[in-house]
Amino acid sequence: QVRLVESGGGLVQAGGSLRLSCTASGRTFNSAAMGWFRQAPGKEREFVAAITWMDSATSYVDSVKGRFTISRDNAKNTLYLQMNSLKPEDTAVYYCAARQLGGNYPSQRAADYVYWGQGTQVTVSS
């Protein structure tokens, strides 16, 4: 059974940093892009960042470019999101997601991801 487990969320002041991790078990995600999404209260889930398997090409939503960095360690089957210069509007539940094998394009569409974690809360105070 495939399982994605996020960790690293918490409460941080504006301007601070957090590093999220997502560990996959049950299968490896070779040749599958992985991504991070977030959902704030009362809002729809939105794309944050994604990364390919083959060449680690990345994609980011404009609001996090220059502040967030997505990376992966394929040997450890782990995905990361380094978040710097955090803002109160970054407050949300952050979800890790993975595409099916062969789905290597770092899509920004939630519907393209078939495996999801339970989420980790990130709260940024002003």
Side-chain angles (χ1 to χ4, degrees):
Q1 183 175 353
V2 175
R3 195 161 175 242
L4 301 178
V5 178
E6 303 96 336
S7 62
L11 173 63
V12 64
Q13 288 189 333
S17 298
L18 283 173
R19 188 193 195 203
L20 305 184
S21 299
C22 170
T23 301
S25 61
R27 55 158 276 195
T28 60
F29 286 91
N30 294 356
S31 73
M34 296 185 72
W36 289 97
F37 290 77
R38 66 186 179 186
Q39 187 165 19
K43 295 188 177 182
E44 293 186 354
R45 189 171 297 190
E46 71 165 343
F47 169 79
V48 176
I51 186 167
T52 63
W53 159 257
M54 293 296 291
D55 57 4
S56 292
T58 57
S59 175
Y60 296 92
V61 66
D62 286 347
S63 61
V64 308
K65 285 181 180 177
R67 300 188 299 122
F68 290 11
T69 302
I70 188 171
S71 61
R72 64 192 295 171
D73 185 333
N74 293 320
K76 296 181 178 179
N77 232 17
T78 301
L79 179 72
Y80 303 100
L81 185 68
Q82 178 66 43
M83 305 186 295
N84 299 328
S85 302
L86 282 161
K87 304 175 180 180
E89 51 264 43
D90 295 318
T91 295
V93 177
Y94 283 70
Y95 297 90
C96 167
R99 299 193 64 184
Q100 279 283 17
L101 282 175
N104 197 42
Y105 181 74
S107 173
Q108 299 189 4
R109 296 176 62 241
D112 289 334
Y113 294 80
V114 296
Y115 302 106
W116 291 85
Q118 292 300 307
T120 185
Q121 176 70 46
V122 171
T123 302
V124 184
S125 62
S126 58

